[in-house]
Amino acid sequence: MRTRTLRRRIAGFGMATVVLSGGLLGCSSGDGGGASGSGTYTIWDPYPQFDTGSAWVRLLGKCGTDAGVTVKRSGFDTTDLTSKVLLASQQGNPPDVLIVDNPVVSTLAQAGVLVPNADTKLDASAMQPNLLGAGQIGGKTYGVPIGANTLALYYNKAILRSAGVDVASVKDWTSLTAALAKVKGAGKKGITFSAIGTEEGSFQFLPWFWGAGAQLTKLDSPAGVSALSLWEDWLKKGYAPNSVINNTQTTSWQEFATGKYAFAENGTWQLANAGKAGFGYGIIPIPAAGGGTAPAPTGGEFVTVPAQKQTGRYATSEKLVTCLTNADNLYATDTTLSYIAPTSTVQAKQAASPGLKVWVDAVHAAKARTGDGLGTKYPKISEPMWTAVQAALSGSKPPQAALSAAQSTAAAATR
């Protein structure tokens, strides 16, 4: 999700290229040639904020050394990476290993950029099925997830206490709305989120949409309408501010960070900021309509293998991917990236850390946006959906009419 893009923009744009061999770092313009098991292997990632001294880059070097090769690493901003790898593939010079945002996997696979795991012998059996779904297209699996993030509800302890709300009572939509009513009655602000007319708006709406039992193939189902009606009702009653219509996930967080809101829908990537907020906070899963944890969309990256003319290179690429995603390295990497690991073994270790169990539970319930066989159809559904959310929250259309129009648009685009 663009969640990480936002964080990386804060960290800085640009591209960093380093060559790693036996732990030594230096500049290079090598082309990544060489036979399997020797020479230079290229890795592209969406983490330009990590420089040559970072734990991430040191791990890349170690994996290269263990595989007996030199690793040339390039770090790009997420917004640039897809176009760069498409161009490189067209020119016959793709990287050997590509780490890419999970919704992009289906696009690259359909374009013939990526090689399925069956060809590279990459084993993804330890990965949780709901996270692996983003890399499964047409009955084939492409790459493995390196980690995941998702959404939950942050809450301000002092505000809930002053409003007489026990957060343990918030278990479904009815109890959450009742809590918001108490908060407003106490003269405080209720909940903030992002409903902007971009993928971020769809990303934040999906837990409520899926939590109602709705499916992306039928946007205007009664369940889907109930989810949009919930948000509309919150705005009408003043439980959520009108600013959500234009809020990104960053500006929504900034509202919560003022200390004036009881709840905020946001992600794992805000944990460091939450610790700096200056007030006591907690985190609960986003509740489904009838109780339990709502399925939230997964963010995070996949480690994939692009198609090469020299197919003999795949054996070493597989070693590099396996090294980056083994249990020991996943724990360290996902801590660095503020991710929840994609395997139950590492998740159990993370769940023992204070504050992470709620995120492990949320990731367990999460879903891939491109899953359920949607693949490259997802963007053609997401845009009409966020358009419907905008229409309903701005008051230009009631939820049923907004979603019916969205369904017509999505159905025509995905035929």
Side-chain angles (χ1 to χ4, degrees):
M1 176 52 197
R2 300 290 81 80
T3 50
R4 293 167 314 290
T5 302
L6 293 168
R7 188 178 70 242
R8 290 175 194 134
R9 283 176 178 161
I10 294 171
F13 285 86
M15 184 273 282
T17 300
V18 295
V19 173
L20 309 96
S21 180
L24 300 178
L25 311 180
C27 295
S28 172
S29 58
D31 63 5
S36 175
S38 64
T40 300
Y41 277 67
T42 53
I43 297 179
W44 289 6
D45 68 48
Y47 314 129
Q49 71 271 32
F50 295 130
D51 60 21
T52 57
S54 66
W56 168 248
V57 175
R58 291 198 303 271
L59 173 60
L60 296 177
K62 182 181 184 301
C63 288
T65 299
D66 291 349
V69 298
T70 298
V71 166
K72 178 185 176 185
R73 175 258 182 171
S74 297
F76 301 92
D77 184 77
T78 297
T79 53
D80 299 327
L81 186 54
T82 302
S83 59
K84 287 185 181 295
V85 75
L86 282 167
L87 178 61
S89 294
Q90 290 170 1
Q91 296 174 339
N93 190 33
D96 291 287
V97 174
L98 173 68
I99 302 169
V100 67
D101 203 15
N102 74 64
V104 179
V105 175
S106 59
T107 299
L108 296 180
Q110 189 177 68
V113 173
L114 304 180
V115 182
N117 293 358
D119 293 352
T120 63
K121 311 304 180 186
L122 189 59
D123 182 8
S125 60
M127 305 296 160
Q128 291 197 330
N130 64 323
L131 302 182
L132 193 59
Q136 294 176 322
I137 305 98
K140 298 179 180 180
T141 301
Y142 296 82
V144 296
I146 197 169
N149 55 32
T150 193
L151 297 164
L153 292 181
Y154 288 82
Y155 64 89
N156 184 311
K157 292 183 177 180
I159 289 180
L160 293 190
R161 186 165 53 248
S162 67
V165 174
D166 178 2
V167 75
S169 70
V170 179
K171 297 183 179 297
D172 53 25
W173 289 4
T174 300
S175 55
L176 175 57
T177 301
L180 295 175
K182 285 186 176 181
V183 167
K184 184 184 178 186
K188 305 294 184 180
K189 296 183 179 181
I191 185 168
T192 180
F193 49 88
S194 169
I196 193 171
T198 68
E199 179 58 26
E200 287 187 62
S202 290
F203 191 77
Q204 291 235 322
F205 181 59
L206 278 172
W208 312 95
F209 183 82
W210 282 335
Q215 300 294 320
L216 286 169
T217 51
K218 186 64 174 173
L219 294 176
D220 60 347
S221 68
V225 173
S226 72
L228 188 49
S229 297
L230 177 74
W231 273 17
E232 181 199 42
D233 186 57
W234 286 352
L235 264 68
K236 284 182 176 178
K237 292 180 177 177
Y239 299 162
N242 288 329
S243 59
V244 301
I245 296 172
N246 297 312
N247 268 349
T248 65
Q249 293 182 110
T250 297
T251 56
S252 172
W253 178 261
Q254 290 168 349
E255 287 181 336
F256 181 68
T258 64
K260 297 178 181 178
Y261 285 83
F263 293 95
E265 179 183 355
N266 228 294
T268 329
W269 53 91
Q270 296 291 5
L271 277 172
N273 288 330
K276 301 173 185 175
F279 55 82
Y281 75 93
I283 306 166
I284 59 172
I286 296 172
T293 300
T298 56
E301 279 83 34
F302 265 60
V303 190
T304 64
V305 178
Q308 304 289 338
K309 292 180 180 178
Q310 299 179 29
T311 57
R313 299 181 69 84
Y314 295 154
T316 298
S317 295
E318 183 274 332
K319 291 179 182 178
L320 293 172
V321 176
T322 299
C323 176
L324 291 173
T325 57
N326 69 34
D328 291 339
N329 290 335
L330 273 177
Y331 181 76
T333 297
D334 289 339
T335 299
T336 298
L337 300 177
S338 295
Y339 285 160
I340 298 302
T343 67
S344 57
T345 300
V346 183
Q347 284 181 0
K349 188 175 181 180
Q350 289 180 310
S353 300
L356 285 185
K357 186 179 185 304
V358 65
W359 293 109
V360 171
D361 292 343
V363 165
H364 269 289
K367 291 179 61 174
R369 285 164 280 170
T370 56
D372 296 330
L374 291 179
T376 56
K377 293 181 180 180
Y378 171 75
K380 300 173 184 177
I381 297 170
S382 177
E383 183 170 356
M385 181 167 64
W386 82 55
T387 301
V389 171
Q390 288 271 297
L393 298 192
S394 67
S396 66
K397 289 181 181 178
Q400 178 69 67
L403 286 171
S404 292
Q407 177 59 30
S408 296
T409 302
T414 56
R415 284 196 183 104

